[in-house]
Amino acid sequence: MKAFLILTVLLIGGFSLFIYSGIYNVAASEPHLDAVEWIMETTRDRSVRRHADKAPGPPEREEANFREGFRHYDEMCVICHSAPGIEQSEISKGQNPEPPDLGEEVLKWSREELFWIVKNGLKMTGMPAFGLSHSDREIGDIVGFITRLPDISPQEYAGLREEMGRENSVGHSH
Ligand code: HEC
């Protein structure tokens, strides 16, 4: 019992010392330790699956409004996640963790999970919670759009921008 108490005090003391010493480098330009990265990713994946499972999914609609979803995506998401045929932005390159290309990542998640992520955001990653500024219906449209991303070609994406009268340079780095 006594040994256990001493060990606990030592562990807490050591941990506090580590934190107060400032040894851990919070620079975004430095990669995390493998162990820290594993903790963050595993916590994120497990947490999303558990919470999305209990939360209401996107509102029932015959079909999410694809163009509305595109409009929101092009305004709010491209700066970090890019899009077919769009070069990764300078902001995105400097983020840690780097926002992934969603064309590949969306296949990993169910519609309900994507809805939960976009609505609630992800702590400690820089992924914002869009539920504070957007209705469930709008987020449902965004999710409808991003699930189609793997099949959208650069030409189609540029075409959508043209239809909306958008400049094709937005999101480009130089
Ligand atoms: C300020 C930058 C930023 C913006 C803007 C942003 N995201 Fe993210 N997003 C991130 C980061 C960073 C992650 C987490 C990456 C990680 O955990 O490795 C992320 C993760 C995600 C994920 C989970 C993918 C995965 O497997 O990691 C989805 C889905 C997503 N974002 C969708 C969106 C959508 C849709 C929008 C626009 C409505 C958006 N994001 C806007 C930075 C951003």
Side-chain angles (χ1 to χ4, degrees), residues 57 60 66 70 73 79 82 85 90 107 122 124 128 130 132 150 155 166:
E60 282 301 330
F66 180 78
F70 162 77
Y73 186 86
I79 188 79
S82 193
E90 287 165 359
L107 304 171
L122 298 167
M124 300 212 289
F130 289 93
L132 299 175
Q155 291 76 9
R166 291 248 164 97

Side-chain angles (χ1 to χ4, degrees), residues 21-88:
S21 71
I23 287 175
Y24 195 80
N25 192 352
V26 295
S29 53
E30 287 286 318
H32 278 296
L33 295 176
D34 285 351
V36 176
E37 195 163 306
W38 180 85
I39 291 171
M40 287 180 66
E41 280 181 10
T42 311
T43 307
R44 179 201 64 194
D45 288 1
R46 296 292 173 127
S47 176
V48 169
R49 299 216 194 278
R50 183 188 179 119
H51 286 87
D53 211 35
K54 295 191 190 137
E60 282 301 330
R61 273 177 97 181
E62 269 177 23
E63 209 184 309
N65 187 324
F66 180 78
R67 283 196 160 52
E68 270 302 291
F70 162 77
R71 195 174 64 75
H72 288 296
Y73 186 86
D74 200 48
E75 263 170 23
M76 302 185 303
C77 318
V78 171
I79 188 79
C80 288
H81 290 289
S82 193
I86 310 286
E87 223 180 288
Q88 192 186 15

Side-chain angles (χ1 to χ4, degrees), residues 44 76-77 80-81 95 97 100 102 105 109 114 125 127 130:
R44 179 201 64 194
M76 302 185 303
C77 318
C80 288
H81 290 289
Q95 277 194 272
L102 291 182
E105 282 298 300
W109 305 103
L114 290 170
T125 68
M127 169 62 195
F130 289 93

Side-chain angles (χ1 to χ4, degrees), residues 116-146:
W116 190 91
I117 292 171
V118 179
K119 182 170 175 171
N120 297 291
L122 298 167
K123 273 194 186 113
M124 300 212 289
T125 68
M127 169 62 195
F130 289 93
L132 299 175
S133 48
H134 291 75
S135 66
D136 282 3
R137 198 184 163 112
E138 289 170 314
I139 295 172
D141 288 342
I142 296 172
V143 169
F145 176 77
I146 61 174

